């Protein structure tokens, strides 16, 4: 029987860090690593399986037989390791684990595998990448592009359905490195956000049920091909945000569940270790080695794949013990309340580790509750994220827009309410994939009225979004008014761009991105109340809002007027603080966007007529269902 040669990548200090949960580069040690030992080519394997009494590497090199047994370390770490000659890049393998628990035998993919077989096949693949990055300029200067005082207009993308080939097959990472990069650049988005690209077995999960935490999905190509896509985005000045899922994982037989015949990665108590919504398992955040696994994984994508930010999925489900649970299905913490103290501690450690190890990156929370200080530093009691999705704004805004404009005067408080809390966090305004599935309809068809009003409402929605404080996120297809719900199994409806109303929406979003990037008043103070001032939020009868967005320099200030009805507001008087002339720089009703063309073509004079509590004022025309921006 072929043996496994004794070899180790672990020092005693590595083991100490791992057991204390402080080893944040475990991907350099655990997993499979092609190398040469004593002049012999082969692969070093290492896996954590403390409840095992034997671990074998089985694969195509030994006909999936138990011929190569790993050696358990003597230090009680639960790590099994060894060097197998004659294996290398491309070798298919799994770990066959014989447990001490009731003789359970599991056959598992490598949690640290750098590559996986194309689903539905489930083996890990020994991988050794050789990629030369060309994004030095971006990486050296990204702090100036990725800071909280920079514009963030994010294009959220599901790689499997952004665009498909004529036979409905996937585009590859390499093809996307041309098509997608050129499109995002042309549309003037500042960042792309990829829905999970880590390996996942089940397409309908959209990638949110991961089995290969360290492997880009093989659906679209190799790990180096994905690096090429990131590299090309960076070379074109576009930041890359990756969706990351530390909240739960699926029960697939080859995955992390019951890994060594014990609850190794998941919490052993089903009240804390099983997610009723997603029928999935929840990580044991109190276990040091699990924390090290997850933090190492976060750092891996920032380190090895040059990601600029991680958007952390389903944070609320991690923070609360009673999330989606009925009475009796959860147990309070030691203080008798519903906060998951171990998960909160983990999230803080995660964010501190990320910001300590990388410059110019962001951590973004998808967190749907009123948990306080999500985007505030750990040092003052916060969770330590850089930004948080503003789910309340998204819900309130879409509820408001659902109203027939004739009734909106009764709902003015719904559209203004966000300003009472918008500066409590560093908020990103998201119209994400979640808003265009499961019968919710597309954004376009969530707008009321006939076709003209629907498109005008959508232009108004985007104009309001881009002038509201906060970073921006649009899910793919929203930028041209996709009319059907998102279908993960097919391409976006690109054929709609042959129609002027849809190409008009696309031009509008492109120009809003340009406006947002070019006007500091819209981003320099987007997370502080110093960057916003109401002129008037009380004109219920006309359903009009007027406000100021402020930059560092007063000369950059912008005046915004929004009309939420289809009635043209002629000679509408707005209070102004100082004398001068104002010019319209943007109008969502411009004919080039499919609007009616009710624009203010000449300079607007400020008059000495007191209005809105100001000593001066001016008159302008506010278009039907439109937004006007003045400078």
């Amino acid at each position: 029987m072929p043996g496994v040669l004794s070899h180790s990548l672990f020092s005693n200090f590595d083991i100490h860090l791992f057991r204390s949960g402080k080893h944040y580069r475990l991907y350099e040690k655990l997993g499979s690593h092609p190398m040469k030992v004593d002049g012999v080519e082969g692969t070093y394997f290492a896996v954590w399986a403390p409840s095992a009494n034997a671990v074998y590497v089985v694969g195509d090199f030994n006909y999936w037989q138990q011929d190569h047994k790993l050696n358990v370390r003597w230090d009680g770490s639960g790590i099994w390791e060894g060097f197998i000659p004659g294996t290398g890049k491309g070798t298919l393998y799994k770990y066959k684990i014989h447990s001490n628990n009731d003789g359970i035998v599991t056959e598992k993919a490598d949690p640290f595998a750098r590559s996986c077989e194309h689903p539905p096949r489930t083996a890990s693949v020994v991988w050794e990448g050789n990629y030369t990055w060309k994004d030095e300029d971006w990486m050296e200067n990204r702090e100036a592009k990725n800071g909280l005082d920079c514009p963030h207009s994010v294009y959220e993308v599901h790689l499997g359905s952004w665009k498909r080939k004529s036979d409905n097959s996937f585009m590859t990472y390499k093809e996307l490195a041309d098509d997608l990069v050129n499109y995002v650049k042309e549309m003037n988005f500042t960042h792309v956000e990829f829905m999970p690209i880590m390996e996942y077995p089940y397409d309908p999960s959209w990638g949110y049920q991961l089995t290969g935490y360290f492997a880009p999905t093989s659906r679209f190509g190799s790990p180096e091909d994905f690096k090429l896509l990131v590299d090309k985005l960076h070379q074109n000045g576009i930041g890359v945000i990756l969706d990351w899922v530390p909240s739960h994982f699926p029960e697939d037989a080859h995955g992390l569940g019951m890994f060594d015949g014990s609850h190794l990665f998941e919490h052993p108590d089903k009240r804390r270790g099983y997610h009723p919504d997603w029928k999935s398992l929840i990580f044991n955040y109190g276990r040091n080695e699990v924390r090290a696994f997850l933090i190492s994984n976060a750092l891996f994508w920032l380190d090895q794949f040059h990601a600029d930010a991680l958007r952390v999925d389903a944070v609320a489900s991690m923070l609360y013990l009673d999330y989606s649970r009925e009475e009796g299905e959860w147990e309070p913490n030691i203080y008798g309340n519903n906060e998951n103290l171990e998960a909160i501690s983990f999230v803080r450690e995660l964010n501190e580790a990320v910001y300590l190890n990388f410059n110019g990156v962001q951590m973004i929370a998808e967190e749907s509750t009123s948990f306080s200080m999500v985007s505030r530093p750990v040092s003052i009691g916060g969770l330590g994220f850089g930004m948080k999705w503003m789910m309340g704004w998204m819900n309130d805004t879409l509820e408001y827009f659902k109203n027939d404009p004739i009734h909106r005067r009764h709902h003015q408080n719904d559209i203004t309410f966000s300003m009472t809390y918008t500066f409590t966090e560093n908020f990103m305004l998201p119209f994400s994939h979640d808003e265009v599935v499961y019968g919710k309809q597309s954004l376009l068809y969530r707008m009321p009225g006939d076709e003209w009003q629907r498109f005008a409402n959508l232009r108004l929605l985007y104009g309001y979004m881009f002038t509201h404080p906060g970073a921006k996120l649009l899910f793919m297809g929203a930028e041209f008014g996709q009319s059907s719900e998102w279908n993960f199994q097919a391409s976006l409806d690109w054929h709609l761009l042959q129609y002027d109303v849809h190409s008009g929406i696309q031009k509008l979003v492109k120009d809003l991105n340009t406006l947002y990037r070019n006007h500091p008043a819209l981003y320099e103070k987007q997370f502080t109340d110093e960057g916003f001032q109401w002129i008037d939020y009380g004109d219920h009868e006309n359903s009009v809002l007027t406000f100021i967005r402020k930059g560092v320099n007063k000369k950059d200030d912008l005046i915004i007027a929004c009309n939420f009805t289809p009635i043209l507001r002629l000679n509408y008087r707005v209070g102004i603080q100082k004398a001068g002339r104002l010019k319209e720089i943007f109008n969502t009703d411009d004919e080039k966007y499919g609007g009616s063309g009710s624009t203010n073509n000449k300079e607007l004079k400020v008059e000495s007529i007191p209005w809105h509590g100001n000593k001066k004022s001016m008159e302008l025309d506010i278009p039907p269902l439109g937004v006007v921006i003045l400078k």
Side-chain angles (χ1 to χ4, degrees):
M1 167 172 153
V4 173
L5 302 179
S6 182
H7 182 80
S8 183
L9 289 183
F10 285 90
S11 67
N12 290 337
F13 187 55
D14 284 324
I15 297 300
H16 168 73
L17 289 175
F18 176 52
R19 298 183 74 172
S20 60
K22 301 298 181 186
H23 201 308
Y24 299 154
R25 306 266 175 171
L26 283 175
Y27 52 90
E28 295 174 352
K29 306 291 179 177
L30 286 164
S32 56
H33 301 272
M35 61 177 60
K36 189 182 283 188
V37 174
D38 298 331
V40 178
E41 299 279 356
T43 305
Y44 166 79
F45 295 89
V47 62
W48 178 51
S51 290
N53 64 39
V55 177
Y56 299 88
V57 182
V58 298
D60 56 357
F61 63 95
N62 62 12
Y63 304 101
W64 303 94
Q65 301 301 307
Q66 296 181 163
D67 291 341
H68 294 82
K69 186 178 180 182
L70 295 179
N71 307 302
V72 66
R73 288 184 62 87
W74 63 92
D75 49 27
S77 61
I79 292 171
W80 297 72
E81 59 185 344
F83 176 78
I84 302 180
T87 58
K89 181 176 178 178
T91 297
L92 302 181
Y93 71 101
K94 284 186 179 178
Y95 296 118
K96 193 152 193 175
I97 301 169
H98 293 253
S99 177
N100 284 316
N101 295 336
D102 302 321
I104 295 171
V105 178
T106 61
E107 196 165 293
K108 296 291 187 178
D110 188 345
F112 284 85
R114 302 293 183 92
S115 180
C116 302
E117 277 193 297
H118 192 301
R121 296 191 296 271
T122 57
S124 299
V125 184
V126 175
W127 201 259
E128 185 174 34
N130 184 18
Y131 185 81
T132 304
W133 289 89
K134 301 182 180 70
D135 62 349
E136 300 86 357
D137 285 350
W138 171 269
M139 295 298 284
E140 286 171 14
N141 300 300
R142 70 175 171 181
E143 274 186 273
K145 300 279 184 71
N146 214 30
L148 294 175
D149 58 351
C150 300
H152 285 74
S153 181
V154 182
Y155 188 53
E156 187 191 17
V157 175
H158 177 261
L159 286 179
S161 58
W162 177 72
K163 190 183 284 186
R164 290 201 177 189
K165 299 177 189 176
S166 56
D167 62 356
N168 202 40
S169 62
F170 295 134
M171 293 185 74
T172 65
Y173 292 128
K174 284 183 174 178
E175 290 164 337
L176 290 160
D178 289 326
D179 278 32
L180 178 64
V181 173
N182 290 338
Y183 181 73
V184 174
K185 187 176 185 182
E186 171 69 19
M187 288 298 293
N188 283 319
F189 285 99
T190 63
H191 294 71
V192 291
E193 177 179 320
F194 292 128
M195 289 167 68
I197 52 83
M198 302 81 187
E199 193 61 82
Y200 58 99
Y202 187 52
D203 281 0
S205 80
W206 311 334
Y208 290 97
Q209 299 267 12
L210 308 185
T211 50
Y213 270 78
F214 290 81
T217 177
S218 55
R219 286 167 175 81
F220 316 116
S222 72
E224 281 61 57
D225 294 341
F226 181 60
K227 287 180 179 178
L228 173 70
L229 174 55
V230 175
D231 202 354
K232 282 285 186 71
L233 285 160
H234 282 171
Q235 289 173 49
N236 284 276
I238 299 159
V240 177
I241 303 169
L242 301 182
D243 270 16
W244 185 62
V245 191
S247 46
H248 64 118
F249 57 92
E251 292 187 282
D252 292 59
H254 68 290
L256 298 178
M258 290 295 288
F259 188 80
D260 60 355
S262 72
H263 298 288
L264 189 62
F265 289 92
E266 68 271 25
H267 199 285
D269 185 340
K270 203 166 184 182
R271 292 172 296 182
R272 296 176 64 176
Y274 183 77
H275 205 296
D277 280 2
W278 303 313
K279 309 290 188 288
S280 54
L281 302 172
I282 300 171
F283 285 104
N284 184 354
Y285 303 109
R287 188 164 196 166
N288 286 342
E289 294 91 342
V290 172
R291 291 163 78 110
F293 168 79
L294 287 170
I295 295 175
S296 289
N297 187 241
L299 268 56
F300 171 79
W301 294 101
L302 298 165
D303 172 27
Q304 299 287 301
F305 287 86
H306 290 198
D308 303 293
L310 299 178
R311 175 268 197 187
V312 184
D313 183 62
V315 173
S317 74
M318 299 166 65
L319 300 180
Y320 294 104
L321 296 166
D322 61 345
Y323 184 90
S324 260
R325 295 179 191 276
E326 303 296 326
E327 198 172 335
E329 294 178 349
W330 63 283
E331 188 177 43
N333 64 28
I334 56 170
Y335 302 111
N337 65 39
N338 65 343
E339 291 182 355
N340 187 334
L341 302 178
E342 292 172 346
I344 291 168
S345 159
F346 160 72
V347 166
R348 287 176 170 149
E349 184 181 348
L350 161 73
N351 286 325
E352 284 192 313
V354 167
Y355 285 114
L356 187 66
N357 282 278
F358 297 93
N359 292 324
V361 300
Q362 294 294 344
M363 294 291 283
I364 305 166
E366 188 223 5
E367 202 286 310
S368 54
T369 73
S370 56
F371 196 96
S372 63
M373 299 177 67
V374 171
S375 58
R376 297 292 179 259
V378 173
S379 59
I380 60 169
L383 288 184
F385 286 99
M387 285 181 250
K388 169 180 166 167
W389 275 22
M390 197 174 187
M391 313 294 273
W393 172 87
M394 180 273 299
N395 284 316
D396 291 348
T397 300
L398 291 178
E399 276 297 306
Y400 175 84
F401 269 82
K402 194 167 72 176
N403 294 306
D404 187 301
I406 200 168
H407 302 305
R408 285 178 179 169
R409 65 180 185 271
H410 304 301
H411 299 275
Q412 187 95 338
N413 289 344
D414 295 344
I415 200 70
T416 60
F417 178 66
S418 62
M419 285 304 169
T420 63
Y421 66 93
T422 197
F423 301 114
T424 60
E425 300 277 3
N426 300 333
F427 279 121
M428 178 176 281
L429 315 181
F431 287 132
S432 75
H433 62 276
D434 281 324
E435 305 321 309
V436 292
V437 287
Y438 298 146
K440 292 180 181 176
Q441 297 188 302
S442 65
L443 286 183
L444 177 65
Y445 276 87
R446 293 177 77 164
M447 302 295 111
D450 58 20
E451 183 181 84
W452 188 89
Q453 286 202 19
R454 275 198 168 129
F455 280 93
N457 268 305
L458 192 62
R459 293 192 300 271
L460 167 62
L461 176 70
Y462 293 161
Y464 167 67
M465 173 192 191
F466 272 80
T467 53
H468 188 289
K472 328 295 176 191
L473 178 138
L474 275 181
F475 182 56
M476 62 182 200
E479 82 280 7
F480 60 80
Q482 168 108 354
S483 49
S484 60
E485 279 195 345
W486 170 49
N487 175 9
F488 72 90
Q489 294 174 303
S491 175
L492 295 178
D493 295 334
W494 293 104
H495 62 275
L496 293 174
L497 286 168
Q498 67 187 297
Y499 303 109
D500 290 345
V501 281
H502 290 280
S503 63
I505 294 286
Q506 189 186 48
K507 285 176 193 153
L508 175 91
V509 171
K510 177 181 176 180
D511 288 355
L512 280 170
N513 278 331
T514 307
L515 178 93
Y516 177 48
R517 296 175 76 145
N518 291 347
H519 288 274
L522 294 175
Y523 61 80
E524 283 181 337
K525 297 181 177 181
Q526 60 192 343
F527 302 126
T528 164
D529 58 4
E530 295 174 3
F532 178 88
Q533 183 180 336
W534 283 116
I535 296 174
D536 181 30
Y537 58 84
D539 189 358
H540 296 247
E541 280 308 306
N542 291 313
S543 296
V544 169
L545 295 179
T546 48
F547 52 90
I548 306 170
R549 289 299 308 277
K550 300 177 177 182
V552 172
N553 295 320
K554 281 194 171 184
K555 66 179 177 60
D556 293 328
D557 290 2
L558 302 176
I559 292 171
I560 291 99
C562 306
N563 176 9
F564 294 95
T565 71
I567 299 163
L568 171 62
R569 304 294 177 192
L570 291 168
N571 303 318
Y572 189 91
R573 188 165 289 278
V574 177
I576 299 295
Q577 292 175 332
K578 57 188 179 184
R581 294 173 183 270
L582 288 158
K583 183 182 178 184
E584 180 180 282
I585 61 168
F586 200 90
N587 189 318
T588 61
D589 195 48
D590 197 304
E591 288 180 356
K592 67 184 175 184
Y593 305 136
S596 64
S598 301
T599 56
N600 296 274
N601 291 321
K602 53 183 188 291
E603 280 193 336
L604 303 166
K605 294 179 182 176
V606 176
E607 302 171 287
S608 296
I609 300 174
W611 209 260
H612 291 147
N614 292 305
K615 293 178 180 177
K616 301 181 184 299
S617 62
M618 58 150 185
E619 286 185 338
L620 77 156
D621 298 341
I622 313 181
L625 297 172
V627 176
V628 173
I629 304 175
L630 308 172
K631 186 171 182 182

